[in-house]
Amino acid sequence: MRASSEISMAGTDGTTRTDHHTAHPGHPGHPGHADRTTRTDHTNETGETDETGDTDDMDDMDDTPVMYVESSVAGAAKILVVGPMGVGKTTLIGTVSEIKPLSTEATMSQAGARLDTKVRPSKTTTTVALDFGRITLGGELVLYLFGTPGQQRFLPAWKDLARGALGALALVDTRDLEASFDAIGHLEDLDVPFSVAVNAFPDSTPHNEDDLRSALDLLPHTPLVICDAREHKSSVQALISLVSHLIETLTEAS
């Protein structure tokens, strides 16, 4: 006997795609999209990710466990993870993803240095297209996470990724709050509901919520949480805060 399921997913072009998935007896997990579960990204002490994985190595795919979307899943949502370069977007997605995350990290070059805002010397790679991961909340809701490039020169790609997104998690770094203004402004311009997560770097200075809200010019109803992008529980709680906000927003609108 075979079981099948359908998952509707909003694409980057604003369209909705329905995938039909089939699980055969003997497979671990439940019907859904099959993905590799292992990942080899390494996070340094600043919360930024250095990619050392063999993403092009296909030789061991047959030996890698796959993870299916559970049959209990009733819905799916496309979520953006946005913020300036070096804020920890790649790290957060890699931390929470239940599948092997897709990352388009590339080594920063001298040519790019002339265009991009300077970051700390420990930052040697940057996302040039997108990050992608998947997480299931409560066994019922699947979040497809799309991390955006942080540089202004990738704004056209950023806007394409925003199409069809239900909401966004905006990561900020208190060591350079001004760098987050553009990302938050883009979300407001695109009318994408969002919550803010302050990524607590080891050398960042703690600030109280009122000061942060004032500095970021946040509306009273916009959620603001503190998280550590390197820690699974902390990052998941940031996403749960966003989802709760989206549910509340949709309920009030109906």
Side-chain angles (χ1 to χ4, degrees):
M1 179 179 295
R2 298 188 301 175
S4 64
S5 65
E6 296 183 354
I7 296 295
S8 296
M9 174 180 171
T12 58
D13 59 356
T15 61
T16 300
R17 186 191 75 221
T18 300
D19 295 332
H20 300 264
H21 307 288
T22 302
H24 297 271
H27 279 310
H30 297 277
H33 185 67
D35 298 282
R36 300 176 65 190
T37 57
T38 58
R39 63 176 180 264
T40 53
D41 43 270
H42 301 277
T43 306
N44 60 32
E45 64 179 7
T46 65
E48 298 159 355
T49 299
D50 296 322
E51 295 294 331
T52 58
D54 53 346
T55 55
D56 293 329
D57 185 4
M58 307 296 288
D59 296 336
D60 61 345
M61 285 196 68
D62 292 339
D63 298 327
T64 304
V66 294
M67 186 168 189
Y68 298 95
V69 172
E70 297 183 10
S71 58
S72 59
V73 167
K78 177 181 179 181
I79 299 295
L80 296 181
V81 180
V82 309
M85 184 169 59
V87 77
K89 302 181 294 295
T90 302
T91 298
L92 185 140
I93 291 176
T95 297
V96 303
S97 183
E98 62 197 13
I99 62 173
K100 179 179 174 63
L102 168 68
S103 178
T104 58
E105 291 275 289
T107 301
M108 298 174 65
S109 65
Q110 289 298 321
R114 294 196 297 267
L115 299 173
D116 301 328
T117 302
K118 290 185 178 180
V119 294
R120 279 155 288 283
S122 59
K123 179 67 173 174
T124 59
T125 62
T126 185
T127 299
V128 295
L130 80 159
D131 296 309
F132 175 77
R134 190 193 80 195
I135 180 174
T136 303
L137 297 180
E140 297 182 354
L141 176 65
V142 167
L143 302 183
Y144 293 99
L145 307 176
F146 289 77
T148 63
Q151 302 95 313
Q152 278 293 104
R153 58 193 170 100
F154 291 124
L155 182 57
W158 199 98
K159 290 182 177 179
D160 286 338
L161 287 173
R163 294 176 182 173
L166 187 65
L169 181 67
L171 283 179
V172 303
D173 180 354
T174 58
R175 298 170 302 178
D176 188 6
L177 283 178
E178 187 176 353
S180 300
F181 292 168
D182 285 339
I184 293 176
H186 295 330
L187 292 174
E188 292 173 340
D189 291 342
L190 294 169
D191 198 25
V192 177
F194 66 93
S195 66
V196 175
V198 176
N199 190 11
F201 287 81
D203 59 340
S204 59
T205 302
H207 299 275
N208 65 54
E209 181 176 340
D210 289 340
D211 288 343
L212 287 172
R213 286 187 171 277
S214 177
L216 294 169
D217 195 23
L218 299 180
L219 295 175
H221 66 271
T222 302
L224 175 66
V225 298
I226 308 296
C227 78
D228 186 335
R230 303 167 299 176
E231 295 183 0
H232 182 269
K233 183 177 180 180
S234 177
S235 298
V236 171
Q237 286 298 321
L239 289 170
I240 290 175
S241 176
L242 168 63
V243 171
S244 299
H245 173 58
L246 295 177
I247 292 174
E248 182 179 345
T249 301
L250 291 172
T251 301
E252 293 177 351
S254 60

